[in-house]
Amino acid sequence: MPTRSNLWLGLLVGISGLLIGFAVSTLAYRYRILRVPGQSIVERMSRDLQLTPAQRDRVGDILRESRFKVREQQLEYQKHRHQLFWQALTQVREMLTPEQQKIFDREFARPWMMHSGGHEHGDHDHGPADDFAEPMQAPPQK
């Protein structure tokens, strides 16, 4: 059973911890070790670099264009990676016996189709279903 002095000691340690945490976080924000959440890089640049409105607009345009280009590259990479994987699955399937192909279609290709979203999203040009002698059907959408 805790004694009264142990309870006071625990309370004192808890409050001290909160105060120390508050002081450390305040200093971290003041000296920019931590950043204010939700503030965009354009807002930070505008404030820290004292940008003119024209500079701020141009910085925003440059970063938006860059973000768009990065997203395009990500999508292109995903499409290419997806095509390479489907090519590999097609090659694996081609070396299997007809009985093994049935199991492969059910156990390996179909789960990956469901995981990757199947062919309905138009993310890629073709997949094993286009190359296989016995085309797999995408599972029905729920």
Side-chain angles (χ1 to χ4, degrees):
M1 174 175 233
T3 64
R4 195 174 184 114
S5 62
N6 285 346
L7 288 174
W8 281 110
L9 181 61
L11 187 60
L12 181 63
V13 169
I15 290 172
S16 297
L18 288 173
L19 290 174
I20 290 170
F22 177 75
V24 168
S25 65
T26 300
L27 290 172
Y29 283 116
R30 177 174 292 157
Y31 293 104
R32 299 190 184 169
I33 296 168
L34 293 175
R35 305 249 185 246
V36 177
Q39 195 174 36
S40 76
I41 190 168
V42 176
E43 291 169 344
R44 285 185 21 230
M45 283 183 180
S46 181
R47 183 194 67 230
D48 293 351
L49 302 174
Q50 299 177 355
L51 299 177
T52 66
Q55 287 175 316
R56 179 187 165 99
D57 291 344
R58 185 64 187 130
V59 166
D61 291 343
I62 291 169
L63 292 178
R64 269 188 295 283
E65 289 170 19
S66 178
R67 192 177 315 125
F68 178 74
K69 289 175 185 176
V70 166
R71 183 63 183 144
E72 280 182 326
Q73 290 296 311
Q74 287 174 331
L75 292 174
E76 189 61 34
Y77 167 75
Q78 288 173 355
K79 179 180 178 180
H80 184 68
R81 183 183 63 110
H82 194 86
Q83 289 171 341
L84 290 173
F85 187 79
W86 279 108
Q87 289 170 3
L89 284 180
T90 301
Q91 290 173 351
V92 168
R93 189 180 189 279
E94 288 172 354
M95 62 169 270
L96 301 175
T97 67
E99 194 60 37
Q100 289 172 321
Q101 288 177 353
K102 290 177 187 175
I103 297 168
F104 175 87
D105 292 347
R106 182 182 66 240
E107 299 296 326
F108 297 96
R110 176 168 270 168
W112 198 80
M113 284 177 65
M114 290 189 298
H115 173 72
S116 67
H119 297 299
E120 294 77 32
H121 300 298
D123 295 359
H124 52 283
D125 296 340
H126 71 285
D130 300 321
D131 298 331
F132 292 171
E134 300 172 17
M136 299 175 296
Q137 297 297 316
Q141 297 295 319
K142 294 180 182 177

